[in-house]
Amino acid sequence: MARLSERTRYLRFFSTRKIAGEELRRCTELDASREGALVAVAQAEGQELQVGVARFVDLADAGNSELAVVVADEWQGLGVGRALMCAVIEAARRHGAGRLVGSALSENAAMLGLAREFGFRTWREPGSASVTELALNLSQQAIH
């Protein structure tokens, strides 16, 4: 998503760098056997714009999938993140994930609030004030 502000890139990727090369390839070329992605699009001025992405990727520890969500700045606060979160939780459940996990910067109040709204447990590892961990047991979570 080329239209993310520096601040949004920082909150999503923990860095302001632009995604390129191998990392960009990993974000755009999915292996459906172990990951899924949902893209939110909108029409603006006759063009289709990508306004958000939610994805999950299976982790090496069986049953866990890592979650990530990002919404373009001008679309934040309009329900796009909520819709993506709902859809990615259901997609991960259908895929067979038992638990969604992730990390968010502790200052990312919007993501932490959204995660808590969907029932994610949040905590900080001892000594890590800047990163909050997230986990949701999918067998115990109802879709909103």
Side-chain angles (χ1 to χ4, degrees):
M1 294 185 48
R3 298 173 34 246
L4 297 179
S5 70
E6 192 171 278
R7 174 80 177 148
T8 296
R9 282 194 319 269
Y10 170 70
L11 291 173
R12 165 59 182 91
F13 298 105
F14 297 21
S15 168
T16 60
R17 75 193 187 293
K18 297 227 181 203
I19 306 304
E22 178 62 21
E23 188 174 20
L24 180 61
R25 187 194 65 72
R26 278 195 331 266
C27 288
T28 57
E29 297 178 15
L30 300 179
D31 174 355
S33 70
R34 58 180 293 275
E35 57 192 322
L38 299 138
V39 177
V41 296
Q43 291 288 336
E45 299 177 15
Q47 292 187 328
E48 190 174 81
L49 302 174
Q50 181 177 322
V51 299
V53 177
R55 59 184 298 131
F56 66 88
V57 177
D58 291 345
L59 298 173
D61 47 342
N64 287 334
S65 292
E66 185 175 29
L67 166 77
V69 178
V70 67
V71 175
D73 295 73
E74 62 270 22
W75 291 88
Q76 293 174 10
L78 301 175
V80 174
R82 185 171 286 102
L84 283 168
M85 181 71 87
C86 185
V88 77
I89 288 169
E90 185 56 32
R93 181 181 283 125
R94 282 192 317 267
H95 176 76
R99 193 166 87 128
L100 280 175
V101 298
S103 301
L105 289 173
S106 298
E107 66 189 82
N108 192 345
M111 180 60 189
L112 295 175
L114 183 63
R116 288 181 185 118
E117 180 181 321
F118 277 87
F120 280 80
R121 184 173 62 90
T122 61
W123 74 96
R124 292 184 188 163
E125 294 292 338
S128 178
S130 62
V131 176
T132 298
E133 302 299 328
L134 316 166
L136 177 68
N137 183 338
L138 294 178
S139 64
Q140 298 175 356
Q141 197 273 342
I143 295 297
H144 293 258

